[in-house]
Amino acid sequence: MTHNAQRKLFIFVCLVPAFLFFCLFTIYPIVRGMYISLFDWSGSSEHMTFIGLNNFKALYEDPIVWKAIGNDYFLVVGKVIGIVLLATLFAISVTRLRIRGAAFYRLVFFIPNIISIVVIGVLWRFVYNPSIGFLNAFLSLFSDTPVKTPWLGDTGTALWSILWPSIWAGVGFYFLLLVAAILGIPASLYEAAEIDGASQATQFRRITLPLIWEQVKVSILHIVMTTLNGSFVMVLLMTEGGPDNATQVLGSYLYQMGFKQFHMGAAAALGVVILALSMLTTLVLQLLLRRDPVELS
Amino acid sequence: MTMKKGILVMLVTALVFLLAACGTNGNDNNKSPGTSESASGSPDGSTSASNSPEAIPTGLKGDFEIQYFVGGYGDAWWKDVIDQFQKLNPELNIKQSAGPKINDQMKPRWIQGNPPDVVYIDGSGSNPRQMVEDDQLLDLTDWIADAKNIDGEKLLDVMIAKPDEYNGSIYNIPLVFGSYGTFYDQALFEKNGWEVPQDYESFLALSDKIKASGISPYVHAGIYPDYILGGFLYPAIISANGDDGQILKDMGDMKEGVFKSEPVMKALNQLKEITDKGYIDPGAVAINHTDSQMMFLQHKAAFIPNGLWLESEMKKDAPADFKYGFVPSITQAKGGKFVALPYTSTMAVAKKAKNPETAKAFIQFIFTKQASLSWAEKTGALMNVKVDLESSSAGDTAKNAMKYYNSDNTIVAPVVVFNADVFKVMGDATIALTMKKITPEEWADRVEKAAAKVRK
């Protein structure tokens, strides 16, 4: 066997198993999901009836779907702004501003990432509990009558109440990512800037941000994708989409449709919608966030 | 190049093995219909069993598979009755498919058309109406009409709740029985000198007093509307319909106009009234069942709509001096009867059962007073066979409830399983109504629309 053939064989052996598993566990389910979305199927019956695009048509006419899409993007925008701002602020604080106890904060901010999402959901449900929750008890300190706001039960506050824990739970990871990025910037750049009389704000704008932009971009994209695909966990844990569908997101509605209302076909169609929206959003963001690469030379 | 080929061959073989693994499963499946033929060849075991007490089903042969969900009731009772059944039929090859996740585990088998013979339908992911709609269950209408248990009693005579009908046909037999109702703490009521309400009027009067004392009169689990529907709205509808439970069946069958009929509107207005008067705890809409039950146990609310399982569910959390009190309903007019809204978990025979006669014989075997007593003692809940529990070790709530069911002053409403789509809309609308977001008319409008969509 020639050297070249050996090399090819090696590459082949490395790639094929992973590719096969990828096909089996990612490509096949996606294709299968698309296929099922064309049928009227309860998810437990032997019989599937082909109905073409009728599932999509029904979703298009369903006001809850539109509300869920709106809620999804509310969470996306809220989380991107909240997490990126906070993570950047914290990262700058523990690196550039050299506050005391940086190591301590690094640990503390990361703790929510170690806790299981289920625990976070249950924990915050207790915080929001109208009569025995921490939040109302705290607010009651400042008022004469006990506060009994049902944070998760009011159409106006429910989705906001899901947003805060999501930000709280997510910030740690991106914080670490940005800290690592900032620490990778050579100190000499900052020294030179300081000699030239640049303020901290200018240093941030002209040195830090351009050099960590790739990481910020990755953070934003990652937050967008995980929110569109994963925000239903928080919703299911805290409100089950209620009250009266006020906090329904596409993922939770998919679960509701597929496993509680026995419309697996419609659920699969919702899955296809989520897939399409995720791809579209990421694509648009890729274009929007494109900047000329800044490189250290 | 040859190496490449070799790997390709290896991959192909691996794939073949994978497929073969699936294939053998299929072969297993094919085997069973053959064996069952011999069993269904001698179906007289069950029919003769129902004729006289002595003719207990014996000598049944072949394979027999039973699927049962194991949840709060445990599996001690099942193991016991299956063991007895096995002893009577030593040549029967009984397979138990059981567990807390059994509904998910067996789903592929139902989808492939290779279901077990008999199934106990309970737990998450199970819905008897959906199974009927999926054409998975055997029509038992004719059989149940004169089926007898091994003591020679007619099954329909010994049952507390009669089987649910789907457009006139019976597919499943209720095995577990219980009812929703309104719970309160007897100790708290005695301490404050509060009278237990016997009707809607006295409920309103008492709620006013309770509210003045700084406690919320009524709390429910807003995330799961099942509770307020079963404990408040359905009984109210039946009371408003002159104690005739037929209206609930009509709702289950989604008859046009039933959701905006007068009794429904009257009941909705009762719900609106207690909402407007602020008797429902403002936090109720945001909490789940455990939260609402905790509030009830902590005396932050005086009444809670719930099911008979409440006492055992909250055993670990209840304060020592807590005494569970129970009335079936609080929405009836003065002098009106209580309405107990039952819930059941049912048994059914698969339409594609390989051994349907043994499945029926098994159902006849377990619907006895003895089994019912054993169920109450082993699970603390009620089986759907009338039996005197006073001397048994069943819980207080169960005994107390049984007294109501045996009383002339209580109506046991029919068991109705709603279509999941209509139920979802009805639940959402009910919560919206308690949030003052919609009016009863809008409620009716929403649910009628959902029903029309399903009827299509």
Side-chain angles (χ1 to χ4, degrees):
Chain A
M1 198 156 43
T2 64
H3 179 73
N4 198 19
Q6 253 181 345
R7 185 170 169 272
K8 274 187 180 160
L9 178 74
F10 178 72
I11 295 173
F12 188 76
V13 169
C14 288
L15 289 181
V16 165
F19 179 69
L20 278 184
F21 276 107
F22 180 73
C23 288
L24 187 64
F25 293 112
T26 306
I27 304 290
Y28 172 70
I30 290 177
V31 174
R32 176 82 188 162
M34 288 175 170
Y35 175 74
I36 291 175
S37 73
L38 304 175
F39 287 83
D40 177 18
W41 183 45
S42 72
S44 52
S45 166
E46 281 174 58
H47 314 287
M48 293 166 81
T49 325
F50 182 80
I51 53 166
L53 293 175
N54 279 1
N55 278 329
F56 293 94
K57 201 172 146 246
L59 292 183
Y60 178 78
E61 287 163 359
D62 187 347
I64 298 176
V65 171
W66 292 103
K67 188 184 259 178
I69 292 177
N71 287 348
D72 260 323
Y73 281 97
F74 173 86
L75 288 176
V76 164
V77 173
K79 274 175 79 175
V80 165
I81 294 176
I83 291 179
V84 172
L85 274 187
L86 285 178
T88 315
L89 184 73
F90 293 158
I92 297 285
S93 306
V94 302
T95 52
R96 298 303 311 150
L97 303 182
R98 295 187 203 89
I99 56 158
R100 266 208 239 162
F104 169 75
Y105 288 112
R106 238 184 266 184
L107 186 73
V108 165
F109 288 138
F110 195 66
I111 281 181
N113 283 70
I114 313 171
I115 308 175
S116 146
I117 186 83
V118 179
V119 178
I120 290 176
V122 174
L123 194 79
W124 279 85
R125 221 181 52 216
F126 273 117
V127 170
Y128 287 131
N129 188 300
S131 53
I132 48 177
F134 167 77
L135 185 58
N136 280 348
F138 179 73
L139 292 175
S140 297
L141 293 177
F142 308 102
S143 104
D144 297 333
T145 49
V147 179
K148 279 195 137 190
T149 316
W151 297 100
L152 292 169
D154 189 289
T155 2
T157 56
L159 202 59
W160 284 95
S161 305
I162 291 176
L163 178 63
W164 303 129
S166 309
I167 292 177
W168 177 79
V171 91
F173 176 76
Y174 304 100
F175 161 71
L176 280 196
L177 195 73
L178 295 183
V179 165
I182 294 172
L183 289 179
I185 301 172
S188 54
L189 287 179
Y190 290 108
E191 282 161 17
E194 242 159 69
I195 290 167
D196 289 343
S199 66
Q200 280 289 354
T202 318
Q203 286 180 28
F204 170 73
R205 218 175 54 242
R206 308 302 279 273
I207 302 176
T208 315
L209 196 58
L211 287 175
I212 64 168
W213 184 247
E214 275 305 308
Q215 280 80 1
V216 172
K217 197 171 122 182
V218 166
S219 301
I220 293 176
L221 287 176
H222 192 242
I223 295 168
V224 169
M225 281 186 280
T226 50
T227 306
L228 284 176
N229 294 319
S231 60
F232 79 95
V233 182
M234 285 302 260
V235 170
L236 279 187
L237 284 168
M238 294 177 74
T239 62
E240 296 228 356
D244 197 18
N245 296 310
T247 57
Q248 205 75 265
V249 292
L250 284 176
S252 61
Y253 198 47
L254 181 155
Y255 181 81
Q256 169 74 29
M257 273 297 191
F259 297 98
K260 291 195 160 167
Q261 288 177 244
F262 308 103
H263 299 298
M264 199 50 91
L270 272 168
V272 174
V273 171
I274 296 176
L275 180 74
L277 282 180
S278 306
M279 295 219 283
L280 201 73
T281 314
T282 349
L283 204 74
V284 170
L285 276 179
Q286 289 269 23
L287 293 176
L288 281 181
L289 297 175
R290 186 179 286 164
R291 272 194 178 195
D292 288 334
V294 181
E295 275 174 29
L296 295 168
S297 50
Chain B
M1 274 321 270
T2 45
M3 271 303 274
K4 222 179 199 175
K5 238 183 197 168
I7 287 182
L8 212 92
V9 169
M10 258 167 64
L11 283 173
V12 169
T13 2
L15 213 89
V16 167
F17 271 122
L18 225 135
L19 289 176
C22 303
T24 37
N25 203 352
N27 284 347
D28 268 355
N29 300 346
N30 293 341
K31 232 167 35 188
S32 13
T35 38
S36 70
E37 264 168 43
S38 60
S40 46
S42 56
D44 40 281
S46 61
T47 27
S48 66
S50 48
N51 291 336
S52 70
E54 287 91 347
I56 288 165
T58 52
L60 292 165
K61 290 192 190 89
D63 291 327
F64 174 58
E65 185 176 6
I66 170 163
Q67 173 188 337
Y68 60 91
F69 168 79
V70 180
Y73 304 130
D75 60 1
W77 182 85
W78 287 103
K79 291 227 160 92
D80 190 38
V81 288
I82 291 171
D83 201 40
Q84 291 173 28
F85 196 65
Q86 176 77 80
K87 275 191 189 129
L88 291 173
N89 304 284
E91 281 179 73
L92 193 65
N93 181 23
I94 302 181
K95 187 179 172 204
Q96 303 183 34
S97 298
K101 286 265 159 222
I102 198 64
N103 295 325
D104 292 335
Q105 286 165 327
M106 295 295 279
K107 203 166 214 177
R109 298 255 319 264
W110 287 91
I111 295 174
Q112 286 161 15
N114 176 32
D117 296 294
V118 67
V119 55
Y120 164 62
I121 308 165
D122 192 3
S124 75
S126 70
N127 178 315
R129 176 172 283 270
Q130 189 59 40
M131 294 181 93
V132 172
E133 278 169 18
D134 285 342
D135 197 22
Q136 289 172 331
L137 303 182
L138 191 68
D139 188 339
L140 298 174
T141 320
D142 296 333
W143 172 76
I144 194 71
D146 47 25
K148 289 177 183 147
N149 68 13
I150 53 168
D151 296 327
E153 298 158 317
K154 269 186 80 172
L155 291 193
L156 286 177
D157 291 344
V158 296
M159 288 182 194
I160 308 172
K162 302 290 176 256
D164 187 11
E165 285 175 23
Y166 297 91
N167 294 317
S169 298
I170 292 171
Y171 295 90
N172 50 351
I173 317 290
L175 175 76
V176 184
F177 178 84
S179 86
Y180 282 94
T182 303
F183 288 78
Y184 58 92
D185 177 14
Q186 285 180 20
L188 179 74
F189 273 52
E190 277 159 28
K191 200 181 91 190
N192 290 301
W194 294 336
E195 284 284 313
V196 180
Q198 300 297 309
D199 49 49
Y200 185 58
E201 211 174 290
S202 56
F203 171 72
L204 289 183
L206 179 62
S207 293
D208 206 39
K209 259 198 245 171
I210 295 172
K211 201 182 170 199
S213 77
I215 299 176
S216 287
Y218 198 77
V219 71
H220 69 102
I223 292 185
Y224 303 112
D226 315 49
Y227 294 89
I228 196 158
L229 288 171
F232 191 98
L233 200 62
Y234 298 156
I237 290 170
I238 292 173
S239 293
N241 195 41
D243 290 342
D244 183 359
Q246 181 60 37
I247 188 161
L248 203 63
K249 285 190 190 176
D250 292 348
M251 286 167 72
D253 287 336
M254 298 169 282
K255 295 214 170 127
E256 201 177 340
V258 68
F259 294 102
K260 53 182 177 198
S261 64
E262 207 198 313
V264 175
M265 296 313 289
K266 205 175 154 196
L268 287 171
N269 277 310
Q270 284 181 310
L271 186 59
K272 186 175 182 302
E273 187 174 8
I274 66 165
T275 302
D276 290 345
K277 290 194 166 159
Y279 293 159
I280 303 180
D281 186 274
V285 62
I287 58 181
N288 64 15
H289 57 296
T290 4
D291 293 343
S292 70
Q293 285 156 205
M294 285 311 288
M295 281 185 67
F296 171 63
L297 292 185
Q298 292 178 5
H299 289 163
K300 289 187 189 294
F303 289 108
I304 187 169
N306 221 290
L308 289 189
W309 61 80
L310 177 66
E311 186 178 347
S312 62
E313 190 177 3
M314 302 308 281
K315 213 173 231 164
K316 285 182 200 138
D317 304 296
D321 58 342
F322 204 90
K323 260 178 84 188
Y324 288 91
F326 163 87
V327 276
S329 62
I330 46 163
T331 39
Q332 60 278 9
K334 207 163 190 172
K337 292 183 176 183
F338 289 110
V339 178
L341 202 285
Y343 59 82
T344 58
S345 299
T346 59
M347 292 201 69
V349 180
K351 192 171 192 182
K352 293 208 169 160
K354 286 129 207 154
N355 205 343
E357 295 312 320
T358 306
K360 288 175 188 169
F362 180 72
I363 293 177
Q364 287 170 309
F365 176 74
I366 60 176
F367 270 82
T368 61
K369 291 206 166 86
Q370 238 175 321
S372 177
L373 202 66
S374 155
W375 176 276
E377 292 183 344
K378 285 198 171 74
T379 68
L382 299 180
M383 190 175 138
N384 188 32
V385 170
K386 288 176 201 154
V387 68
D388 184 15
L389 287 181
E390 276 313 302
S391 51
S392 76
S393 57
D396 283 341
T397 310
K399 285 182 185 169
N400 189 4
M402 197 59 134
K403 272 187 221 154
Y404 273 112
Y405 307 146
N406 290 333
S407 145
D408 288 338
N409 203 24
T410 307
I411 296 156
V412 176
V415 180
V416 173
V417 179
F418 280 90
N419 169 282
D421 291 352
V422 173
F423 185 79
K424 166 74 175 151
V425 173
M426 197 157 62
D428 286 346
T430 305
I431 295 307
L433 182 70
T434 66
M435 290 166 72
K436 300 183 195 170
K437 251 182 76 185
I438 61 169
T439 62
E441 288 72 28
E442 284 169 302
W443 185 101
D445 205 41
R446 274 203 205 181
V447 185
E448 277 293 335
K449 255 188 215 152
K453 208 169 147 196
V454 175
R455 275 197 303 268
K456 258 199 289 198

